[in-house]
Amino acid sequence: MSSIKKIRQTATYALCFGCGIAMLASCSDDDMIPQVQSNTITIENVLDAKPLVESGTFMGTGTPPVIFPGQSISIEFYAGAGQALSFATMYGWSNDLFFAPENPGITLYKADGTPVTGDLSAQIKLWDNGTRVNQAPGIKVVHPEQLSQVLAI
């Protein structure tokens, strides 16, 4: 190869290399870095805080404090739209029967957002836990605790 061709080739390579370096040096990543901005976010509780889960006992007013057939009780609690009331209470003259609503519980608000009021007893069912042999409900039902006391005598 002639020396002029070698010079041209070397000059071409040098020019390409120089242009490549110049192109890389002119690139700026500044447009990829987000600009620092100052924002203020305010969080404010606009409602009174109410417990979403409440637990406790309810009982009759007599001695013993049992709720007998035909008697009723009233309870008060706070609830939000979309929440349901769920509870379980034993049917006392049985060995494993209990009263409770079906899942997901008693709906507390109608579709239009108004609270449900009135007698809701039709939504409460009598359930069998299935943990004991079924016996006719009554005063003669033997509970496991009573049985252990009888056997200890």
Side-chain angles (χ1 to χ4, degrees):
M1 190 186 296
S2 75
S3 47
I4 293 182
K5 279 189 176 181
K6 283 183 183 180
I7 294 172
R8 280 188 185 164
Q9 187 178 20
T10 304
T12 304
Y13 289 139
L15 183 62
C16 287
F17 182 75
C19 287
I21 295 291
M23 287 175 57
L24 289 175
S26 68
C27 288
S28 171
D29 287 337
D30 291 345
D31 57 343
M32 301 298 278
I33 299 173
Q35 299 299 316
V36 177
Q37 295 180 349
S38 176
N39 291 322
T40 302
I41 298 174
T42 302
I43 299 173
E44 180 181 354
N45 185 4
V46 295
L47 299 174
D48 292 335
K50 302 289 183 194
L52 297 179
V53 175
E54 294 185 24
S55 62
T57 57
F58 49 91
M59 58 186 79
T61 57
T63 304
V66 177
I67 304 166
F68 288 105
Q71 292 182 326
S72 65
I73 60 154
S74 296
I75 57 174
E76 291 183 20
F77 54 91
Y78 297 100
Q83 291 184 316
L85 173 66
S86 186
F87 65 90
T89 184
M90 183 174 182
Y91 176 48
W93 280 12
S94 72
N95 56 9
D96 69 346
L97 299 177
F98 63 96
F99 292 101
E102 293 186 58
N103 276 335
I106 298 172
T107 303
L108 300 175
Y109 288 88
K110 298 176 187 173
D112 65 3
T114 58
V116 174
T117 60
D119 183 0
L120 304 175
S121 60
Q123 296 185 48
I124 301 168
K125 311 291 183 205
L126 180 62
W127 301 85
D128 183 352
N129 192 28
T131 58
R132 305 280 184 250
V133 174
N134 288 334
Q135 298 173 333
I139 199 160
K140 295 185 180 188
V141 169
V142 177
H143 295 276
E145 296 80 24
Q146 292 171 325
L147 185 59
S148 63
Q149 291 170 359
V150 169
L151 294 176
I153 295 176

